[in-house]
Amino acid sequence: MNPIRLARVAARTRPTGVIRTSLQKRSYADAVSDKIKLTLALPHQAIYKSTDVVQVNVPAESGEMGVLANHVPSIEQLKPGLVEIIEESGGGSKQFFLSGGFAIVQPGSQLSINAVEGFPLEDFSSEAVRSQITEAQKVASGSGSEQDVAEAKIELEVLESLQAALK
């Protein structure tokens, strides 16, 4: 028998009551999770490994971005800044400062953040950041080799982002 004809015959003879009851039992709330599976990885450690969270706010190059469950798949380059992770509805959040990296939103409410460096925000002191900014500004203003000036400008960008996050 022809495969197409066989499929038609099977479709006609299939009991329809079974399908209707299973569709009626399922609702939108049952089918969709309100959590994201977050993986936040650094070269030397994984801070989160497929952990369920409610929302993640990331500093994308295209602008600040909030990621919720069922977000459209995308790949975003991250600039130095604050990543905020909201673990429970109405609950507190955890904040990490990342020096940059990539955020990859995948189907199935999965978010992977890969960064070179990242630290909890509470590990930083405002005074230390201010003093490092002063030092980096001196070097960036031209008192060093071309490479030193370029490195100081990058350091200054990261430190200024960190200082803004600490306010």
Side-chain angles (χ1 to χ4, degrees):
M1 187 181 265
N2 179 327
I4 295 174
R5 189 171 184 192
L6 181 62
R8 286 183 192 158
V9 170
R12 282 189 223 137
T13 59
R14 181 178 45 185
T16 57
V18 174
I19 294 173
R20 285 188 187 139
T21 58
S22 66
L23 288 177
Q24 290 171 349
K25 288 181 183 177
R26 186 174 177 178
S27 69
Y28 182 76
D30 295 335
V32 178
S33 172
D34 62 343
K35 303 280 186 168
I36 307 165
K37 293 258 186 225
L38 171 66
T39 301
L40 174 56
L42 306 174
H44 58 281
Q45 90 181 93
I47 298 171
Y48 285 87
K49 293 180 185 177
S50 292
T51 305
D52 285 337
V53 298
V54 174
Q55 180 177 349
V56 180
N57 300 320
V58 296
E61 285 287 341
S62 59
E64 296 295 317
M65 179 174 144
V67 180
L68 296 165
N70 298 311
H71 193 281
V72 66
S74 66
I75 299 174
E76 297 290 334
Q77 183 177 356
L78 302 179
K79 61 183 180 181
L82 191 64
V83 171
E84 180 180 24
I85 301 164
I86 301 168
E87 294 180 337
E88 292 295 326
S89 296
S93 65
K94 291 188 178 178
Q95 298 178 328
F96 294 89
F97 185 82
L98 301 183
S99 62
F102 288 90
I104 303 162
V105 182
Q106 299 169 326
S109 296
Q110 295 181 23
L111 172 62
S112 299
I113 299 175
N114 300 306
V116 176
E117 294 177 329
F119 301 95
L121 191 60
E122 62 266 7
D123 287 359
F124 297 98
S125 87
S126 298
E127 298 80 32
V129 171
R130 266 188 251 119
S131 69
Q132 289 179 348
I133 286 175
T134 305
E135 290 174 27
Q137 285 173 334
K138 288 177 187 172
V139 176
S141 65
S143 61
S145 70
E146 191 174 316
Q147 181 176 347
D148 290 342
V149 170
E151 288 174 358
K153 287 181 180 179
I154 293 169
E155 184 179 0
L156 196 54
E157 178 187 0
V158 172
L159 289 169
E160 287 171 346
S161 296
L162 179 55
Q163 184 179 37
L166 288 170
K167 288 185 179 181

